[in-house]
Amino acid sequence: MTQSKRFARLAERDINKETFVEAWPDAGLIVADGPNDPRPSLTLEPAPHKRVIEMDGKTRAQFDSLDTFIADHFLDLSVAEEAMATPSLQIARMLVDINVPADQVRRLALGCTPAKLCEIVRHMSVLEMMMGLAKMRVRKTPANQAHVTNRRENPALLAADAAEAALRGFAEIETTVGIARMAPLNALCVLVGSQTGRGGVLTQCAIEESMGLRLAMKGLTSYAETLSVYGTERSFVDGDDTPWSKAFLASAYASRGVKIRFTSGTGSEALMGSSEGKSMLYLEARCLCIVRGAGSQGVQNGSISCIALPESLPGGVRAVLAENLIAAMLGLEVASGNDALASHSAIRKSAKLMLQFIPGTDFIFSGYSAVPRRDNMFGGGNFDAEDFDDYNVLQRDMQIDGGLRPVREAEVLAVRREAARAVQAVYAELGFPEIRDEEVEAAVVAHSSDDMPARDIVADLAAADRFLEGPQDVRDVISALRRHGFPQIAANLTEMLRQRTLGDYLQPAAIFVRDDPSSPKPTFRVLSALTDPNDYAGPGSGYRLQGARWQEITALPQARSPHDFIADRIGAPLPNLHELGPARPGRFNEVIVCVGPAFGTALTQTINGLPHEEVLKAIFTGIAKEGMIARLIKAYHTSDCAQLGFTASSYSGSGIGIGLQSRGTAVIHKRGMPRLHNLELFSFSPSLTLETFEQIGRNAAKYAKGEAVKPVPVTVDNWARLRLIVKTALLHRRETEEVRDKPPQELFFDWEPDV
Amino acid sequence: MAMDDERWVDDFRISPDMLRRQAEAAQAAGFAQLAENLRRAAELTDVPKEELLRIYEALRPGRSTQAELLAVADALERDYGARRTADFIREAAAEYARRRLFRSE
C-alpha cells in the first residue's frame, strides 16, 4: 500500500500513544446513557409513612444495599415527588438559566433518583454543564489542591516541596506513601512544610482508612479525602466497605474535628469488573447520592485514578464534567480530578482541564502534582511542577483564578530552607533518624528526589512505627518547633489545632485563609458554603477575579516593563547624519532611500540590533556597486513602510526608491505603482542581515538601470513574529511618536562607499 | 498569649456542643445529611480512638455476625449514650442481614 508521509508523521504524535476503544455496554465500557441503565422512577408509600417502595425500576425488595441507603438517607422525600414529576429538560434549563438561583435547582436535585440526575445532564452540552457548574459550585472562591510526594520518601524534600506548594497558593496538600508504614512521618513532614509556606493550608495523607483516622487523631493531618465509594454493591464490598461503614468513618473523623471528603469517579466499577452492565455516569450518580446521604460535606470526583478509561471512550471527557456537575448540584464540595495521568497529548490534557478551570470548582485539581511527575506516588502528575509557569500564564490569559500565584525564586528558596530546617529540628527533638545538613541544603535547591542524598529507609520505617504506636503527637511537634526557633510555624500549627475545636471547617467546601497577614499571631478565617456561598447569577455576580488577587496573577516574574523592550534600540544619534532642509525631487538616475522619522535619531538600531549606520552603509555600498548614486531623505509625515517607499520613489530621479523603517523593515517601490504595491518587500525585519541590505541596495539600483532583477532571497521565520511582536509594536510606536507635520528632509550621510 | 497557645494545644478535641452547633448551622443552610453526620459525631467525641477503630472494623463487610454488630450498637448506646449512632448501626445490621453482608459462619 502507498504510504502517506503525512500519516506517518501523524502516527508519531503524542495523541496516537493513547488507547481509543468502542463502547461495550455489557462490560460497563460506556460513559453515559447505557442501554442497560434504568429509566428514572420513584414510588412512595402513601402518607403518613412516606417511604420509598420503588426506585429507578426496582422494588424495595429488589434493592441492593446501595439502593436502600440512597432511598433512606439521600432522597429528600418532601420534594421527591415534585422533582421526579418535573421534566428533566426543564431542570437542565434551570441549571443554565442565570435567573434561577442555585438553591432552587438544588432543592429539586435532592429529590431526584440517580437515573433522574443522569437524565437531566443528558440534555446538556459541555458548555451548558460549565455554566451549571459555575452556578452550582458551593464555595464562591475557587481553590486548588496539590500532591506532594517523592519516590525516596525524603523528609527534608517533602517539607520543602510542601512549603513551596503552600507558597504557590494551594489551599490543600495531599501526600501519600510508597511504603505504607512511612505514613506518620510523611504526614508530619508535609504538615510542617505546609505551615511554613502558608499557615492554614489543609493537609492529608492518603492511606488505608484506619491508619488515616489514626494520623488525623494524632493531629498529623487536618483532613481526609480517600474515603472511596463505588456505584455497585459488589465493587463497594470489594473496596472493603459499605455505605454505613463509610458514613460511620465520616462521623468518627468529625468527632475529632477533622474535615473529610469522599472519593468516587467514573470507571472504577468497570475497572473492578463489576459494573453490572451500567454506564459509568449512572453508577457515579449512585455514588454521589451515597456521598451526600452519608453526610460527607464533599467529594473528590472526576474519574480520578480511572480517568484514562472514560477518556478511551466516546464522550468520556463530557461525562467526567457531568459527574462534577451532579456533585455540585447535590451541594457537595467538588475536588474535580485532573490529577492522574490522563493523556500523552499536551493539547488534549489542557483542553480537558478547561472544563473545570473555566467554570471553577472548589478544588480544580485533586491534586496538581507540585513535584515532578516521576516523584508523584499517586500515579498523578497530569500537570506537574514543570507546568507551573504554563498554569500561571493560563490564569493571566483568561483572567481566571485557578488557585495558584506566580512566585519569585528567592522567596521559594527561603521557605524551602525554613521548612527543611524545621523538620530537621523536629526529627532531632523527637528522636527520629538524623536529617543531615547536607540533606537540608539539597532539599532547598532540589527539583526532584534525584537531587537528594540517600537515607536509611529501614531506620526511618522503625521510627515511623514507634511514632505511630507511641504517645507522641502534634503537640510534641509544636514544642520542638518552639524550642528550636520556629515560633511562626509552631503558631500556625497551634492555630490549626484551635480551628479543630471550633469546627467551622467541617462545613461544606471549607478552606482557610489568613485573617490578618501582618499580625504575628495567626488566625485563620474559613471560606465555606456558609461563609462564602457561591452567589453566581450571571454577568457581574459571583466570584470575579479582580483587585489585589488579579494584580498578583498578572505579576509574572517573567513579565517585563514595555520600556525594557526598546531601551537597547535607543542610542546616541548618528554623528555623521545631517539634516539639510526640505527634500527636492531628483533629476538624475539615482536611488532614493527614505528612512522613517526616528531613524538614526530617536532610534539607532534595527529590531535585531543592526546599527542604523551599518545598515545605511550596506545599502549605499550595494547601490554603489551597481554604479549608481544614492540619495537619502527622511520622511516626517509617516512612519508606515509602504508610505516611506512611496515617498522615496516619488522623489527619486529614476523613480526607484527604498523605504526603510527604523526597526529595519524595508521595501523597494517604483513610481507609478499603487502605494501598497511594491517591487520587493522585506517584512521579516528580524531576519534581515547587512548582506541582505546590501542586496536590497543592489537590486534597487538594477531596477533603476532597467535590468532584469532576481528578487533578494529572504528567510521566512513564522516564530519571529511570535517572539518579537511586542518589540515590533513598541519600536513602531516610538517611530510614530516622531511623526510631524513637516515635509521630507534631505539628509547628508557623511560617508563614502569604498567601491 | 503563650498561655492561650498552651491551652489550645492541651486539648485539641472538639466538644459535643460545638458539633451540635455546627450541625444546626449545616441544617439551616440546607445540608441535612451533613448535619446528621455531625450529630452522630457529637455522640462519639468521648469514644476512645481504639474503640472507634473497632466499631468501624465491625461495620466493614464480612467482619461481624448480626449478633456481634447489634452488640456493638447496644454497647455504644449504653456506654456513651450514642443513640443516633447506635440506631444507624442497627439499621446497617438489618440491611447486612438482608444482603448477606455479615461474616458467614
Coordinates of all heavy atoms in Angstrom, one line a residue, chain A residues 61 63-65 68 73-74 208-209 217 233 240-242 244-245 247-248 251 254-257 292 294-295 331 475 482 498 500-504 506-508 521, chain B residues 1 5-6 8-10 12 14 18-19 22 26 30-34 37 40-41 44-45 47 49 52-53 55-56 59-61 63 88 91-92 95-96 98-99:
Chain A
A61 N -37.9 -4.6 47.6 CA -37.3 -6.0 47.8 C -36.2 -6.3 46.9 O -35.3 -7.1 47.2 CB -38.5 -7.0 47.6
F63 N -34.0 -4.0 46.0 CA -32.9 -3.1 46.2 C -31.6 -3.8 46.7 O -31.7 -4.8 47.5 CB -33.2 -2.1 47.4 CG -34.1 -1.0 47.0 CD1 -34.6 -0.8 45.7 CD2 -34.5 0.0 47.9 CE1 -35.5 0.2 45.3 CE2 -35.3 1.0 47.6 CZ -35.8 1.2 46.3
D64 N -30.5 -3.4 46.2 CA -29.3 -3.8 46.9 C -29.0 -2.8 48.0 O -29.8 -1.8 48.2 CB -28.1 -3.9 45.9 CG -27.7 -2.6 45.2 OD1 -28.1 -1.5 45.8 OD2 -27.1 -2.6 44.2
S65 N -27.9 -3.0 48.7 CA -27.7 -2.1 49.9 C -27.5 -0.7 49.5 O -27.8 0.2 50.3 CB -26.5 -2.7 50.7 OG -25.4 -2.7 50.0
T68 N -30.9 0.9 49.0 CA -31.5 1.1 50.3 C -31.0 2.4 50.9 O -31.7 3.2 51.5 CB -31.3 -0.1 51.2 OG1 -31.7 -1.3 50.6 CG2 -32.0 0.1 52.5
H73 N -31.4 7.6 53.0 CA -30.6 8.6 53.5 C -30.3 9.8 52.5 O -29.9 10.8 53.0 CB -29.2 8.0 53.9 CG -29.3 7.2 55.1 ND1 -29.4 7.7 56.4 CD2 -29.4 5.8 55.3 CE1 -29.5 6.7 57.3 NE2 -29.5 5.6 56.6
F74 N -30.5 9.5 51.3 CA -30.2 10.6 50.3 C -31.5 11.4 50.0 O -31.6 12.6 50.1 CB -29.6 10.1 49.0 CG -29.6 11.1 47.9 CD1 -28.9 12.3 48.0 CD2 -30.5 11.0 46.8 CE1 -28.9 13.2 47.0 CE2 -30.6 11.9 45.9 CZ -29.8 13.1 46.0
E208 N -4.6 3.7 54.0 CA -5.7 2.8 54.4 C -6.5 3.5 55.5 O -6.0 4.3 56.3 CB -5.1 1.5 54.9 CG -6.0 0.4 55.3 CD -6.6 0.5 56.7 OE1 -5.8 1.0 57.6 OE2 -7.7 0.2 56.9
E209 N -7.8 3.2 55.5 CA -8.8 4.0 56.3 C -8.5 4.1 57.8 O -8.5 5.2 58.3 CB -10.2 3.4 56.1 CG -10.7 3.2 54.7 CD -11.1 4.5 54.0 OE1 -10.6 5.6 54.4 OE2 -11.8 4.4 53.0
M217 N -6.1 11.7 64.3 CA -6.2 11.8 65.7 C -5.0 12.3 66.4 O -5.0 12.8 67.5 CB -6.8 10.5 66.3 CG -8.2 10.3 65.9 SD -8.8 8.8 66.5 CE -10.6 8.9 66.1
E233 N -22.9 -2.6 44.5 CA -22.7 -3.3 45.8 C -21.4 -4.1 45.8 O -20.6 -4.1 46.7 CB -23.9 -4.1 46.2 CG -23.9 -4.7 47.6 CD -25.1 -5.4 47.9 OE1 -25.3 -6.6 47.3 OE2 -25.9 -4.9 48.7
D240 N -14.0 -3.1 50.4 CA -14.0 -3.4 51.9 C -14.8 -2.4 52.7 O -14.4 -2.1 53.8 CB -12.5 -3.5 52.4 CG -12.4 -4.4 53.5 OD1 -13.3 -5.2 53.8 OD2 -11.3 -4.4 54.2
D241 N -15.9 -1.9 52.2 CA -16.7 -1.1 53.0 C -18.2 -1.2 52.5 O -18.5 -1.9 51.6 CB -16.3 0.4 52.7 CG -15.3 0.9 53.8 OD1 -15.7 0.9 55.0 OD2 -14.2 1.3 53.4
T242 N -19.1 -0.6 53.3 CA -20.5 -0.5 52.9 C -20.8 1.0 53.1 O -20.0 1.8 53.8 CB -21.4 -1.3 53.9 OG1 -21.4 -0.6 55.2 CG2 -20.9 -2.7 54.0
W244 N -22.7 2.2 55.2 CA -22.8 2.5 56.6 C -21.4 2.6 57.2 O -21.2 3.4 58.1 CB -23.7 1.4 57.3 CG -25.1 1.6 57.0 CD1 -26.0 2.2 57.7 CD2 -25.8 1.0 55.8 NE1 -27.3 2.2 57.1 CE2 -27.2 1.4 55.9 CE3 -25.4 0.3 54.7 CZ2 -28.1 1.1 55.0 CZ3 -26.4 -0.1 53.8 CH2 -27.7 0.3 53.9
S245 N -20.5 1.7 56.8 CA -19.2 1.8 57.4 C -18.5 3.1 57.0 O -17.8 3.7 57.8 CB -18.3 0.6 57.1 OG -18.0 0.5 55.7
A247 N -20.0 5.9 56.3 CA -20.7 7.0 57.0 C -20.2 7.1 58.4 O -20.0 8.2 59.0 CB -22.2 6.8 56.9
F248 N -20.0 5.9 59.0 CA -19.5 5.9 60.4 C -18.1 6.5 60.5 O -17.8 7.2 61.4 CB -19.5 4.4 61.0 CG -18.9 4.4 62.3 CD1 -19.7 4.7 63.4 CD2 -17.6 4.1 62.5 CE1 -19.2 4.7 64.7 CE2 -17.0 4.1 63.8 CZ -17.8 4.4 64.9
S251 N -18.3 10.1 60.5 CA -18.6 10.6 61.8 C -17.5 10.6 62.8 O -17.3 11.4 63.6 CB -19.8 9.9 62.4 OG -20.9 9.9 61.6
A254 N -15.3 13.4 62.1 CA -15.9 14.7 62.6 C -15.8 14.8 64.1 O -15.7 15.9 64.7 CB -17.3 14.8 62.1
S255 N -15.9 13.6 64.8 CA -15.9 13.6 66.2 C -14.6 14.2 66.8 O -14.5 14.6 67.9 CB -16.1 12.2 66.8 OG -15.0 11.4 66.7
R256 N -13.5 14.2 65.9 CA -12.3 14.8 66.3 C -12.0 16.1 65.6 O -10.9 16.6 65.6 CB -11.1 13.8 66.0 CG -11.2 12.5 66.8 CD -11.4 12.7 68.3 NE -11.2 11.4 69.0 CZ -12.1 10.6 69.4 NH1 -13.4 10.8 69.1 NH2 -11.8 9.5 70.2
G257 N -13.1 16.6 65.0 CA -13.0 17.9 64.4 C -12.2 17.9 63.1 O -11.7 19.0 62.6
R292 N -23.6 12.1 49.6 CA -24.5 13.1 50.2 C -25.3 12.4 51.4 O -25.4 13.0 52.5 CB -25.5 13.7 49.2 CG -26.6 14.5 49.7 CD -26.3 15.9 49.9 NE -27.3 16.6 50.7 CZ -27.5 17.9 50.9 NH1 -26.7 18.7 50.3 NH2 -28.4 18.4 51.7
A294 N -24.5 9.9 53.2 CA -23.6 9.6 54.3 C -23.2 10.8 55.1 O -22.6 10.6 56.2 CB -22.4 8.8 53.8
G295 N -23.5 12.0 54.6 CA -23.2 13.2 55.4 C -21.8 13.7 55.1 O -21.3 14.5 55.9
G331 N -24.9 19.8 46.2 CA -24.4 20.6 47.3 C -23.1 20.1 47.9 O -22.8 20.4 49.1
R475 N 1.4 17.8 69.4 CA 1.8 18.7 70.5 C 3.3 18.7 70.7 O 3.9 19.7 71.0 CB 1.0 18.4 71.8 CG -0.4 18.7 71.6 CD -1.2 18.2 72.8 NE -1.4 16.8 72.7 CZ -2.3 16.1 73.4 NH1 -3.0 16.7 74.3 NH2 -2.4 14.8 73.3
R482 N 8.9 25.3 68.8 CA 9.1 26.4 69.6 C 10.6 26.5 70.2 O 11.2 27.5 70.2 CB 8.2 26.3 70.8 CG 6.8 26.7 70.5 CD 6.1 27.6 71.6 NE 4.7 27.8 71.3 CZ 3.8 27.0 71.6 NH1 4.0 25.9 72.4 NH2 2.5 27.2 71.3
R498 N -6.5 24.8 67.1 CA -7.6 25.6 67.7 C -8.8 25.5 66.7 O -9.9 25.4 67.2 CB -7.1 27.0 67.9 CG -8.1 27.9 68.6 CD -7.7 29.3 68.8 NE -7.8 30.1 67.6 CZ -8.9 30.8 67.2 NH1 -9.9 30.8 68.0 NH2 -9.0 31.4 66.1
R500 N -9.7 23.2 64.9 CA -10.3 21.9 65.1 C -11.4 21.9 66.2 O -12.4 21.2 66.1 CB -9.3 20.8 65.5 CG -9.0 19.8 64.5 CD -8.2 18.8 65.1 NE -7.2 18.4 64.1 CZ -6.7 17.2 64.0 NH1 -7.0 16.3 64.9 NH2 -5.9 16.9 63.1
T501 N -11.1 22.7 67.2 CA -12.0 22.7 68.3 C -13.2 23.6 68.0 O -14.3 23.5 68.7 CB -11.3 23.3 69.6 OG1 -11.0 24.7 69.3 CG2 -10.1 22.6 69.9
L502 N -13.1 24.4 67.0 CA -14.3 25.3 66.6 C -15.2 24.6 65.6 O -16.4 24.8 65.6 CB -13.8 26.6 66.0 CG -12.8 27.4 66.8 CD1 -12.4 28.6 66.1 CD2 -13.5 27.8 68.1
G503 N -14.6 23.8 64.7 CA -15.4 23.0 63.8 C -16.0 23.8 62.6 O -16.8 23.2 61.8
D504 N -15.7 25.0 62.4 CA -16.2 25.8 61.2 C -15.8 25.1 59.9 O -16.4 25.3 58.9 CB -15.8 27.2 61.3 CG -16.4 28.0 62.4 OD1 -17.5 27.6 62.8 OD2 -15.9 29.0 62.8
L506 N -15.7 22.1 59.2 CA -16.4 20.9 58.9 C -17.6 21.2 57.9 O -18.2 20.3 57.4 CB -17.0 20.2 60.2 CG -16.0 19.8 61.2 CD1 -16.7 19.3 62.5 CD2 -15.0 18.8 60.7
Q507 N -17.9 22.5 57.8 CA -19.0 22.9 56.8 C -18.5 22.7 55.4 O -17.3 22.6 55.1 CB -19.4 24.3 57.1 CG -19.9 24.5 58.5 CD -21.2 23.8 58.8 OE1 -21.8 23.3 57.9 NE2 -21.6 23.8 60.1
P508 N -19.5 22.6 54.5 CA -19.1 22.3 53.1 C -18.0 23.2 52.5 O -18.1 24.4 52.6 CB -20.4 22.4 52.3 CG -21.4 22.1 53.4 CD -20.9 22.7 54.6
K521 N 0.4 36.8 65.5 CA -0.3 35.7 66.0 C -1.4 35.3 64.9 O -2.3 36.1 64.7 CB -1.0 36.0 67.3 CG -1.7 34.8 67.9 CD -2.3 35.1 69.3 CE -3.4 34.1 69.7 NZ -2.9 32.8 69.9
Chain B
M1 N -0.3 35.2 75.9 CA -0.5 34.6 74.6 C 0.0 33.2 74.6 O -0.6 32.3 74.0 CB 0.2 35.5 73.5 CG -0.3 35.2 72.1 SD 0.0 36.6 71.0 CE 1.7 36.2 70.5
D5 N -2.0 29.6 73.8 CA -1.5 28.6 72.9 C -1.5 27.3 73.6 O -1.9 26.3 73.1 CB -0.1 28.9 72.4 CG -0.1 30.0 71.3 OD1 -1.2 30.4 70.9 OD2 1.0 30.5 70.9
E6 N -0.9 27.3 74.8 CA -0.8 26.0 75.6 C -2.1 25.4 75.8 O -2.3 24.2 75.7 CB -0.1 26.3 76.9 CG 1.4 26.8 76.8 CD 2.3 25.8 76.1 OE1 1.9 24.6 76.0 OE2 3.3 26.2 75.6
W8 N -4.9 25.7 74.0 CA -5.4 25.0 72.8 C -4.7 23.7 72.5 O -5.3 22.7 72.1 CB -5.3 25.9 71.6 CG -6.1 27.1 71.7 CD1 -5.7 28.4 71.6 CD2 -7.5 27.2 71.8 NE1 -6.7 29.3 71.7 CE2 -7.9 28.6 71.9 CE3 -8.5 26.2 72.0 CZ2 -9.2 29.0 72.0 CZ3 -9.8 26.7 72.1 CH2 -10.1 28.0 72.1
V9 N -3.4 23.8 72.8 CA -2.6 22.6 72.5 C -2.9 21.4 73.4 O -2.9 20.3 73.0 CB -1.1 22.9 72.5 CG1 -0.2 21.7 72.4 CG2 -0.8 23.9 71.3
D10 N -3.2 21.8 74.7 CA -3.5 20.8 75.6 C -4.6 19.8 75.2 O -4.5 18.6 75.4 CB -3.9 21.4 77.0 CG -2.7 21.5 77.9 OD1 -1.6 21.1 77.4 OD2 -2.8 22.1 78.9
F12 N -6.9 19.4 71.9 CA -7.4 19.9 70.6 C -8.6 19.1 70.1 O -8.9 19.0 68.9 CB -6.3 19.9 69.5 CG -5.6 18.6 69.3 CD1 -6.1 17.7 68.3 CD2 -4.4 18.2 70.0 CE1 -5.4 16.5 68.1 CE2 -3.8 17.0 69.7 CZ -4.3 16.2 68.8
I14 N -12.7 18.7 69.7 CA -13.9 19.5 69.6 C -14.9 19.0 70.6 O -14.9 17.8 70.9 CB -14.4 19.5 68.1 CG1 -15.5 20.5 67.9 CG2 -14.9 18.1 67.7 CD1 -15.9 20.8 66.5
M18 N -20.1 21.9 70.5 CA -19.7 22.6 69.3 C -20.2 21.9 68.0 O -20.6 22.5 67.1 CB -18.2 22.8 69.3 CG -17.6 23.8 68.3 SD -18.2 25.5 68.7 CE -16.9 26.1 69.7
L19 N -20.1 20.6 68.1 CA -20.5 19.8 66.9 C -22.0 19.9 66.7 O -22.5 20.0 65.6 CB -20.1 18.3 67.1 CG -18.7 18.0 66.8 CD1 -18.3 16.6 67.4 CD2 -18.4 18.0 65.3
Q22 N -22.6 23.2 65.1 CA -22.2 23.1 63.6 C -23.3 22.4 62.9 O -23.7 22.7 61.7 CB -20.9 22.4 63.4 CG -19.7 23.2 64.0 CD -19.4 24.5 63.2 OE1 -20.1 24.8 62.2 NE2 -18.5 25.4 63.7
A26 N -25.4 23.7 59.7 CA -25.5 22.9 58.4 C -26.9 22.7 58.0 O -27.3 22.8 56.9 CB -24.7 21.6 58.6
G30 N -29.2 24.0 54.6 CA -29.7 23.1 53.6 C -28.9 21.8 53.5 O -29.0 21.1 52.5
F31 N -28.0 21.5 54.4 CA -27.2 20.3 54.4 C -27.6 19.3 55.4 O -26.9 19.1 56.4 CB -25.7 20.7 54.5 CG -25.2 21.7 53.4 CD1 -25.2 23.0 53.6 CD2 -24.8 21.2 52.2 CE1 -24.8 23.9 52.7 CE2 -24.4 22.1 51.2 CZ -24.4 23.4 51.4
A32 N -28.8 18.7 55.2 CA -29.4 17.9 56.3 C -28.6 16.7 56.6 O -28.4 16.4 57.8 CB -30.8 17.5 55.8
Q33 N -28.0 16.0 55.6 CA -27.3 14.8 55.9 C -25.9 15.1 56.6 O -25.5 14.3 57.5 CB -27.0 14.0 54.6 CG -28.3 13.4 54.1 CD -29.0 14.3 53.0 OE1 -28.7 15.5 53.0 NE2 -29.8 13.7 52.2
L34 N -25.3 16.2 56.2 CA -24.1 16.6 56.9 C -24.4 16.9 58.4 O -23.7 16.5 59.3 CB -23.5 17.8 56.2 CG -22.3 18.5 57.0 CD1 -21.1 17.6 57.1 CD2 -21.9 19.8 56.2
N37 N -24.7 13.7 60.2 CA -23.3 13.2 60.4 C -22.7 13.9 61.7 O -22.1 13.2 62.5 CB -22.5 13.4 59.2 CG -21.0 13.0 59.4 OD1 -20.7 12.2 60.2 ND2 -20.2 13.6 58.6
R40 N -24.2 12.6 64.9 CA -23.6 11.3 65.2 C -22.2 11.6 65.8 O -21.8 11.0 66.8 CB -23.5 10.4 64.0 CG -24.8 9.8 63.6 CD -24.6 8.6 62.6 NE -24.0 9.0 61.3 CZ -24.7 9.3 60.2 NH1 -26.0 9.3 60.3 NH2 -24.1 9.7 59.1
A41 N -21.4 12.5 65.2 CA -20.1 12.8 65.6 C -20.1 13.3 67.1 O -19.2 13.0 67.9 CB -19.4 13.8 64.7
L44 N -19.8 10.8 69.5 CA -18.6 9.9 69.5 C -17.4 10.6 70.1 O -16.3 10.0 70.1 CB -18.3 9.5 68.1 CG -19.4 8.7 67.4 CD1 -19.1 8.4 65.9 CD2 -19.7 7.4 68.1
T45 N -17.5 11.9 70.5 CA -16.3 12.6 71.0 C -15.6 11.9 72.1 O -14.4 12.0 72.3 CB -16.7 14.0 71.4 OG1 -17.7 14.0 72.3 CG2 -17.1 14.9 70.2
V47 N -15.7 8.6 72.7 CA -15.3 7.2 72.4 C -13.9 7.2 72.1 O -13.4 7.9 71.2 CB -16.2 6.7 71.3 CG1 -15.8 5.2 71.0 CG2 -17.7 6.8 71.5
K49 N -10.2 6.4 70.7 CA -9.7 6.1 69.3 C -9.8 4.6 69.0 O -10.3 4.2 67.9 CB -8.3 6.6 69.2 CG -7.6 6.3 67.9 CD -6.2 7.0 67.9 CE -5.2 6.4 68.8 NZ -3.9 7.1 68.7
L52 N -13.3 3.5 68.4 CA -13.8 3.9 67.1 C -13.3 3.0 66.0 O -14.1 2.6 65.1 CB -13.4 5.3 66.8 CG -14.1 6.4 67.6 CD1 -13.5 7.8 67.3 CD2 -15.6 6.4 67.4
L53 N -12.0 2.7 66.1 CA -11.5 1.8 65.0 C -12.1 0.4 65.1 O -12.3 -0.2 64.0 CB -9.9 1.7 65.2 CG -9.2 3.0 64.9 CD1 -7.7 2.9 65.3 CD2 -9.3 3.3 63.4
I55 N -15.2 -0.3 66.1 CA -16.5 -0.2 65.6 C -16.5 -0.1 64.1 O -17.3 -0.8 63.4 CB -17.3 1.0 66.2 CG1 -17.4 0.9 67.7 CG2 -18.7 1.1 65.6 CD1 -17.8 2.2 68.4
Y56 N -15.6 0.7 63.6 CA -15.5 0.8 62.1 C -15.2 -0.6 61.5 O -15.8 -1.0 60.5 CB -14.4 1.8 61.8 CG -14.1 1.8 60.3 CD1 -15.1 2.1 59.3 CD2 -12.8 1.6 59.8 CE1 -14.8 2.1 58.0 CE2 -12.5 1.6 58.5 CZ -13.5 1.8 57.6 OH -13.2 1.8 56.2
L59 N -18.1 -2.8 61.3 CA -19.1 -2.4 60.2 C -18.7 -2.8 58.8 O -19.5 -2.7 57.9 CB -19.4 -0.9 60.3 CG -20.5 -0.4 61.2 CD1 -20.3 1.1 61.4 CD2 -21.9 -0.7 60.7
R60 N -17.4 -3.1 58.7 CA -17.0 -3.4 57.3 C -17.6 -4.8 56.9 O -18.0 -5.6 57.7 CB -15.4 -3.5 57.3 CG -14.8 -2.1 57.5 CD -13.3 -2.2 57.5 NE -12.7 -1.3 56.4 CZ -11.4 -1.0 56.3 NH1 -10.5 -1.6 57.1 NH2 -11.0 -0.2 55.4
P61 N -17.7 -5.0 55.6 CA -18.4 -6.2 55.1 C -17.7 -7.5 55.5 O -16.5 -7.5 55.4 CB -18.5 -6.0 53.6 CG -17.4 -5.0 53.3 CD -17.2 -4.1 54.5
R63 N -17.2 -8.8 58.4 CA -16.4 -8.8 59.6 C -17.2 -9.4 60.8 O -16.6 -10.1 61.6 CB -16.0 -7.4 60.0 CG -15.1 -6.7 59.0 CD -13.8 -7.5 58.8 NE -12.8 -6.6 58.2 CZ -12.7 -6.2 56.9 NH1 -13.7 -6.6 56.1 NH2 -11.8 -5.4 56.5
F88 N -28.2 3.9 63.8 CA -27.6 3.8 62.5 C -27.0 2.5 62.3 O -27.1 1.8 61.2 CB -26.6 5.0 62.3 CG -26.1 5.1 61.0 CD1 -26.8 5.7 59.9 CD2 -24.8 4.8 60.6 CE1 -26.3 5.9 58.7 CE2 -24.2 4.9 59.4 CZ -25.0 5.5 58.4
E91 N -29.6 -0.2 61.9 CA -30.2 -0.1 60.5 C -29.2 -0.9 59.6 O -29.7 -1.6 58.7 CB -30.3 1.4 60.1 CG -30.8 1.6 58.7 CD -30.5 3.0 58.3 OE1 -30.9 4.0 59.0 OE2 -29.9 3.2 57.2
A92 N -27.9 -0.6 59.7 CA -27.0 -1.3 58.9 C -27.1 -2.8 59.1 O -27.1 -3.6 58.1 CB -25.5 -0.9 59.2
E95 N -29.9 -4.3 57.1 CA -29.6 -4.4 55.7 C -28.5 -5.4 55.4 O -28.6 -6.1 54.4 CB -29.1 -3.0 55.2 CG -29.0 -2.9 53.7 CD -30.2 -3.0 52.9 OE1 -31.3 -3.0 53.5 OE2 -30.1 -3.2 51.7
Y96 N -27.5 -5.5 56.3 CA -26.5 -6.5 56.1 C -27.1 -8.0 56.1 O -26.7 -8.8 55.4 CB -25.4 -6.5 57.2 CG -24.5 -5.3 57.1 CD1 -24.7 -4.2 56.3 CD2 -23.3 -5.2 57.9 CE1 -23.9 -3.1 56.3 CE2 -22.5 -4.2 57.9 CZ -22.7 -3.1 57.1 OH -21.9 -2.0 57.0
R98 N -30.2 -8.7 55.3 CA -31.0 -8.9 54.0 C -30.0 -9.1 52.8 O -30.3 -9.9 52.0 CB -31.8 -7.6 53.8 CG -32.9 -7.8 52.7 CD -33.7 -6.5 52.6 NE -33.0 -5.4 51.9 CZ -32.9 -5.3 50.6 NH1 -33.5 -6.2 49.8 NH2 -32.1 -4.3 50.0
R99 N -28.9 -8.4 52.8 CA -28.0 -8.5 51.7 C -26.8 -9.4 51.9 O -25.8 -9.4 51.1 CB -27.5 -7.1 51.3 CG -28.5 -6.2 50.8 CD -29.2 -6.6 49.6 NE -28.3 -6.7 48.4 CZ -28.7 -7.3 47.3 NH1 -29.9 -7.8 47.1 NH2 -27.8 -7.4 46.3

